[in-house]
Amino acid sequence: MTDFDPETLATADSKELLKIVKSTPDSKIAEVMQSDLRSKVLDEVFNRMPTLFRADRAGSTNAVIHWNITGRPDGGTDTYEVVIENGTCTASSAPARDPKLSLTMGPLEFLKIVSGGANPVMMFMTGKLKAKGDLGLAANIANLFDIPKG
């Protein structure tokens, strides 16, 4: 995709994000996620999580999930907190509670998971996604959100 605009990663809806992630070379996405657009992209994705949450599939699920996205330009990790309780979902870039589940992955793997372009279970099995805590919740997490199927 020669006309790839990095800004579109930050503003794309779920279906657009899938198309962008699938049609853009991994090296180009990695480059964007090493730039000053990284926090904008991550903030946008997490700000949308509550609107993609499927309360009808959550049942009585109550959980605090920390998403640790490695590979920050300074070598650090960005951690976002998603809280599912009482049929609602909230997301924050300022984790405040102990997690029931911590997921750790690189920025490319994160974008592939949230865009529906990768299977989280396969990523876990190949070591591209690390999960600590409630592994049953980890296996079911994709079902709790309206993520396009790649």
Side-chain angles (χ1 to χ4, degrees):
M1 179 179 218
T2 54
D3 60 347
F4 170 70
D5 172 16
E7 279 285 330
T8 60
L9 260 181
T11 58
D13 69 21
S14 297
K15 287 184 176 66
E16 288 173 325
L17 185 62
L18 174 61
K19 288 178 192 166
I20 291 167
V21 171
K22 283 183 91 167
S23 65
T24 304
D26 290 357
S27 60
K28 190 61 147 168
I29 292 174
E31 186 180 306
V32 170
M33 295 305 283
Q34 280 288 308
S35 75
D36 55 357
L37 282 175
R38 175 189 168 102
S39 61
K40 184 175 181 179
V41 170
L42 292 176
D43 286 349
E44 274 300 317
V45 170
F46 282 100
N47 286 343
R48 289 191 192 143
M49 277 198 174
T51 64
L52 299 174
F53 178 65
R54 295 288 307 263
D56 58 316
R57 294 182 187 168
S60 61
T61 300
N62 285 309
V64 175
I65 304 163
H66 284 183
W67 293 75
N68 303 299
I69 317 302
T70 62
R72 224 172 37 200
D74 66 2
T77 298
D78 291 302
T79 301
Y80 286 77
E81 182 174 85
V82 173
V83 178
I84 298 170
E85 60 188 355
N86 304 320
T88 64
C89 174
T90 57
S92 168
S93 61
R97 297 167 62 175
D98 288 334
K100 183 174 187 178
L101 172 66
S102 286
L103 300 170
T104 302
M105 70 215 74
L108 179 63
E109 291 77 17
F110 170 73
L111 288 175
K112 286 185 177 192
I113 288 171
V114 299
S115 69
N119 179 326
V121 174
M122 287 304 297
M123 292 183 100
F124 175 73
M125 291 173 66
T126 58
K128 292 179 180 175
L129 165 68
K130 292 179 178 42
K132 181 179 174 189
D134 186 337
L135 299 184
L137 175 61
N140 189 47
I141 199 163
N143 297 326
L144 299 177
F145 296 91
D146 191 14
I147 297 172
K149 300 296 179 243

